[in-house]
Every structure is written in C-alpha cells, then in structure tokens.
Amino acid sequence: HSFEPDSNRIMLFKQNQQLNNCHRGKLHEVAVMSLAEIFRLTKIDHCEFMKVDCEGAEYDIFIKAAPALLKKIDHIVFEVHWFTPKMKEQYAQLRTVLTDNHFSLVEKANPVHNTIGFLYATQSSTH
C-alpha cells in the first residue's frame, strides 16, 4: 500500500508501475491520515516492512501512535528531517517513542543533505 497526496507523484507512481510491470501495489490517493486510519482502511493486522517518507510529518504520525499499533510493525525505514530546531526536538521524541516500544534503532547520515537522515527501526521481538 502506498499513500500519496501529490498529483505529480501519483502520476510518477503509476508510470513506474507500468514501466516495471508491477501491478500488485495499491495506491491510495489521500491527503492526510493517521497511522491508525491507514491500518483500519487497509485491514492490515501485521506489517512486516514500512517505508516512511512524508517530509517531516513522520513526527506527528509516530509520536502519537498507540503502542498497540506500533507492536504490529516489524521494520520501519524513515527519511527523517531536521529542518528546524523543533524538528530536532521531535526527532529525539520519535527515537524515545520507538525505543520505549521495543524497537532497536540504526541511524544513517544522508550523503547529500545534512538536514535529512535515515532511521531504521526494528522491533526487538523480530530478531
């Protein structure tokens, strides 16, 4: 499942599906949804792998997520943003929420941008 509000990126998603003859993925053209709403909409009970690239919204999405919901996810790969001092504080909160919910974390620098990084979170019970 992919969720995208931007019409240009939706067009690119569809072109990539055609170019790669990949028709298994489902695109949801939505503006804003909570993680809980996404799980309800898609009827997902368990998520093995989640990729998150939502331009700074990752903080609101995951800091507010219920522990029971986070428990349903094995691996999360984030693009994280530090554009503002507030985002740096939110990043620290995100790390705390994830570790408090039994995720082990690996942080990687972005070789191109010093205000964007990568965070890999793995549910400890999946090791």
Side-chain angles (χ1 to χ4, degrees):
H1 295 275
S2 295
F3 297 83
E4 181 59 57
D6 184 288
S7 60
N8 291 323
R9 289 197 169 105
I10 290 167
M11 180 184 68
L12 289 173
F13 179 94
K14 291 176 180 179
Q15 287 175 347
N16 279 327
Q17 277 188 310
Q18 289 175 349
L19 288 170
N20 293 290
N21 197 26
C22 176
H23 303 288
R24 288 182 31 205
K26 178 161 173 80
L27 175 63
H28 302 271
E29 299 177 32
V30 297
V32 177
M33 294 183 88
S34 72
L35 195 56
E37 289 171 321
I38 288 170
F39 273 66
R40 274 193 302 275
L41 171 76
T42 58
K43 297 181 175 72
I44 293 174
D45 290 324
H46 178 252
C47 177
E48 291 181 16
F49 179 83
M50 180 179 289
K51 178 185 175 280
V52 179
D53 182 0
C54 51
E55 305 308 315
E58 61 272 12
Y59 303 119
D60 285 335
I61 293 168
F62 286 89
I63 290 170
K64 296 176 182 176
L69 185 58
L70 292 174
K71 190 176 274 192
K72 295 180 178 187
I73 307 168
D74 293 342
H75 305 277
I76 310 170
V77 176
F78 293 91
E79 181 181 82
V80 290
H81 302 81
W82 310 300
F83 299 140
T84 65
K86 180 181 178 184
M87 284 180 158
K88 290 178 183 178
E89 290 175 20
Q90 290 173 309
Y91 179 64
Q93 291 175 316
L94 173 65
R95 292 180 71 245
T96 299
V97 165
L98 292 170
T99 55
D100 286 352
N101 284 279
H102 312 289
F103 283 91
S104 59
L105 306 178
V106 174
E107 299 168 288
K108 298 284 184 176
N110 184 318
V112 180
H113 303 285
N114 64 357
T115 57
I116 299 172
F118 303 102
L119 179 65
Y120 302 86
T122 300
Q123 208 41 270
S124 296
S125 61
T126 62
H127 288 300

